[in-house]
Amino acid sequence: MVKFSVRMRCASTLMLILFASAEGPTTLRSAGDRAHLLIGAAVRPSLFTEAPYSATLAREFNMIEAEDAMKWSVVRRERGFDFREGDEVVRFARAHGMKVRGHCLVWDHDNPQWLTEGRFTPAKLSELLHEHIAIVMKHYAGEVFAWDVVNEALNEKGDAKDSIWYNAPGIGMSGKGTAYVEQAFRWAHEAEPHALLFYNEAEGEGLNVKSDAVYRMVKGFKQRGVPIDGVGLQMHITPEFDTNAFAANIDRLTMLRLQVHITELDVSLPLGPDGMATGADLKLQADVYSSVLKACLEHSGCTAFQTWGLTDKWSWIGSHSHGTRGAGLFFDPSYKPKPAYDAVLSALRAVPQRVN
Ligand code: XIL
């Protein structure tokens, strides 16, 4: 009798285990691991002390990226180098077995005043940028596996955007289009030959003048042997986003044997006077999230799916839209998973094994 009940208990435990594994992974992280897809979030190290923030991050994501902590505005707040905030990101990732994406080495935004108002000559700026890329990449060598080397270099016409690095005054290649972008990639490769090097762009995710220009630029890079490994598609989008055009863009980029990372996804919704999105919009949002994920999963070269934050409590969208839009992420302000979370989890679970 005793023996029987023990065996029965063993059998029911076994049944439970079988049931659990038949149901598949229960977090984005475990489902992402199984589908060989990096599931990332942009993070603010100042929030690591908020218990649900850290717990949700560690449970749901296998990759993180510093939202601001590795930008010039933080690392070079003063003229020297200050790696404290970026190092916190790396420590968190190490403690939880996650990968780290680096963001970003060259951008016309989020630069310190001493740099933007320093009236440097092109020769001096070139020296400053070369040194910055070398020192930051060497500091994070072996920790940061992929870098956004250059962020948002093009305007909506597809031309090199006016910027401190291009032509105002630039690093000495003013008027030569994306030659300065190419130079930055060469310096990056020289500094850390093992890191994957990405060009990251906004509003060039579908098919338009800007994404055509990105395509032409990176195709030229590949043909000329400029060291580039991938393109980051930011994806600050709305439910009206055209996912077919997006899939076509991933298609042509991955055909160049470049990786694609979805780097800054959020699907912002209009907010009512109560600061809330409607249930209908949350459902539309869930559909867009799962279509974006499916477009990525269809291409083995699309290797990372990252959101710009994790909870609507801490998202840049609110300040960026002056409070008119928000609710763009997986978790609500109390860290409750939203329909978008469920949709992405079930789309990931539907992929038993991904062939790479
Ligand atoms: C944003 C951050 O989220 C904010 O905290 C910061 O004040 C401004 O930058 N594209 C990018 C990101 O590449 O670096 C931006 O991040 C959002 C748009």
Side-chain angles (χ1 to χ4, degrees):
M1 185 64 196
V2 172
K3 259 190 186 165
F4 176 77
S5 66
V6 168
R7 206 178 303 140
M8 283 293 281
R9 226 178 299 140
C10 286
S12 52
T13 310
L14 186 65
M15 294 263 285
L16 270 179
I17 292 168
L18 286 176
F19 266 121
S21 55
E23 284 200 348
T26 53
T27 63
L28 298 182
R29 181 177 185 158
S30 53
D33 285 343
R34 201 179 62 163
H36 298 289
L37 183 66
L38 292 167
I39 305 286
V43 299
R44 299 179 190 171
S46 59
L47 297 173
F48 290 158
T49 50
E50 185 172 292
Y53 184 90
S54 299
T56 309
L57 251 187
R59 189 183 68 236
E60 300 290 347
F61 299 90
N62 53 24
M63 175 174 84
I64 51 179
E65 172 168 318
E67 184 170 345
D68 294 302
M70 293 187 188
K71 290 176 178 169
W72 274 79
S73 53
V74 176
V75 177
R76 311 296 303 278
R77 192 171 284 128
E78 309 296 337
R79 183 103 182 225
F81 289 79
D82 181 349
F83 291 113
R84 284 173 300 179
E85 289 187 35
D87 289 356
E88 279 189 64
V89 174
V90 167
R91 267 199 302 277
F92 187 96
R94 225 192 273 148
H96 298 96
M98 305 160 118
K99 289 208 166 204
V100 182
R101 268 194 112 256
H103 174 81
C104 51
L105 299 166
V106 184
W107 193 23
D108 60 317
H109 281 273
D110 290 5
N111 290 317
Q113 218 176 9
W114 67 261
L115 178 74
T116 55
E117 290 176 15
R119 299 182 167 274
F120 295 109
T121 61
K124 185 66 197 171
L125 268 183
S126 169
E127 193 187 308
L128 277 168
L129 184 58
H130 190 176
E131 176 197 54
H132 180 83
I133 291 174
I135 292 186
V136 175
M137 290 187 79
K138 284 183 202 300
H139 179 83
Y140 288 117
E143 307 279 4
V144 168
F145 82 105
W147 275 100
D148 288 334
V149 178
V150 180
N151 194 29
E152 301 181 0
L154 303 179
N155 62 25
E156 51 295 331
K157 290 194 203 133
D159 300 322
K161 194 203 276 182
D162 297 336
S163 78
I164 182 170
W165 305 118
Y166 172 48
N167 60 353
I171 60 167
M173 295 176 194
S174 173
K176 295 190 179 149
T178 56
Y180 86 98
V181 176
E182 174 170 341
Q183 177 63 75
F185 275 83
R186 293 193 187 280
W187 282 335
H189 182 67
E190 165 196 293
E192 220 290 66
H194 303 296
L196 297 176
L197 307 183
F198 279 72
Y199 175 74
N200 195 48
E201 188 55 274
E203 291 165 3
E205 293 94 359
L207 297 175
N208 56 29
V209 174
K210 199 194 261 189
S211 68
D212 288 350
V214 170
Y215 177 74
R216 273 196 308 276
M217 176 180 78
V218 298
K219 186 174 178 191
F221 283 5
K222 285 294 275 188
Q223 282 165 348
R224 292 201 309 286
V226 179
I228 182 169
D229 300 286
V231 173
L233 302 176
Q234 289 190 9
M235 306 280 286
H236 295 291
I237 61 174
T238 68
E240 292 75 41
F241 186 70
D242 179 350
T243 44
N244 291 326
F246 166 66
N249 196 31
I250 300 186
D251 218 43
R252 64 178 174 173
L253 289 170
T254 52
M255 296 274 270
L256 295 174
R257 285 197 275 139
L258 286 168
Q259 293 189 40
V260 167
H261 282 180
I262 293 169
T263 51
E264 305 186 13
L265 179 60
D266 45 32
V267 183
S268 71
L269 301 176
L271 300 179
D274 56 354
M276 304 283 284
T278 64
D281 276 348
L282 290 171
K283 169 82 182 73
L284 282 178
Q285 179 183 61
D287 293 345
V288 175
Y289 260 103
S290 75
S291 306
V292 167
L293 175 69
K294 283 175 190 158
C296 177
L297 287 169
E298 274 164 20
H299 299 86
S300 59
C302 181
T303 48
F305 180 88
Q306 176 169 263
T307 49
W308 204 240
L310 55 151
T311 164
D312 295 337
K313 181 176 181 186
W314 305 113
S315 157
W316 82 302
I317 287 292
S319 54
H320 183 65
S321 73
H322 306 288
T324 57
R325 303 185 68 88
L329 295 167
F330 284 138
F331 298 92
D332 78 5
S334 57
Y335 291 91
K336 198 168 152 273
K338 294 160 58 188
Y341 173 92
D342 299 331
V344 165
L345 181 58
S346 70
L348 278 175
R349 282 162 48 136
V351 187
Q353 275 301 327
R354 192 152 180 242
V355 185
N356 270 321

